[in-house]
Amino acid sequence: DFLRIYRHRPMFFPHLRAKEKKASDGQLEDLRKKYSSWTSSSRYKACIGDRNKTTLTQDVHMLSLELCAGEEGMSRALANVGFTTTTLDNDYKRSATSKLSLEELESRIVNGSILHHPHMNKTFSVVWNAPDCTTWSIAQNGRYRNKDFVDGFHNRALNAHAQQARRDIESLVNILSYYKARNPNLVMVIENPVGYLWHHPVSTLFETVLGLTRLK
């Protein structure tokens, strides 16, 4: 029981908590520096490069993409008002048009194979995004992260999940940048409940790179 509690709750041990907090703060500072120069990164540049741009020869007014679609509720609503919808989810039990993770989709954009994908090589007018909120949710009661350890509890049991969630957001930013490069008038929405994502520096990319407005 002692080991199980410690593995998930380092804040119960003050001398170890201080050491871990220092390491966590250092990691966050590194991430802030990384995100401040995000548009200089090779993966971002590959996503918006000329190889991936297309000429707007099609009417994109009623084409939508839902990422991390789950039960595809938004796509059903958009289809009801005339949109042609495309959906993506990495859960093979779902009925999404494309079964890819965000990292896999980003990789296809970076290496140019997106241009040969039957569903994702489109110029959309709306992209709706609902990234997995499990590790960001306050309803998890600090299982994956809290305000003091917003990037996760490093070297703890569930840290891998917290780090993957952050990488998913990084991939999402590059994916949206790609589709925005294809259609400068793209409407983008990122849906995420109130939680720890908005306290993490990765969320600043929504505003600084994508030009989105944060709503409460």
Side-chain angles (χ1 to χ4, degrees), residues 2-70:
F2 176 88
L3 291 176
R4 185 176 68 249
I5 293 173
Y6 170 64
R7 199 168 54 162
H8 292 288
R9 307 285 185 175
M11 67 289 292
F12 288 169
F13 304 87
H15 63 295
L16 295 176
R17 182 187 186 280
K19 181 178 180 180
E20 187 148 347
K21 184 68 167 64
K22 183 178 180 180
S24 178
D25 289 347
Q27 171 70 4
L28 286 176
E29 185 58 31
D30 289 343
L31 289 172
R32 290 187 185 97
K33 292 177 181 177
K34 174 183 176 180
Y35 299 145
S36 68
S37 58
W38 188 259
T39 55
S40 298
S41 68
S42 59
R43 292 185 73 81
Y44 174 83
K45 288 181 177 180
C47 287
I48 66 167
D50 291 337
R51 177 182 63 180
N52 286 329
K53 292 182 180 178
T54 59
T55 302
L56 285 176
T57 58
Q58 58 176 311
D59 181 6
V60 302
H61 180 60
M62 301 295 276
L63 294 178
S64 72
L65 170 63
E66 185 175 3
L67 298 175
C68 309

Side-chain angles (χ1 to χ4, degrees), residues 85-96:
T85 63
T86 299
T87 57
L88 177 142
D89 201 281
N90 67 347
D91 185 347
Y92 278 79
K93 296 178 182 178
R94 303 289 188 179
S95 59

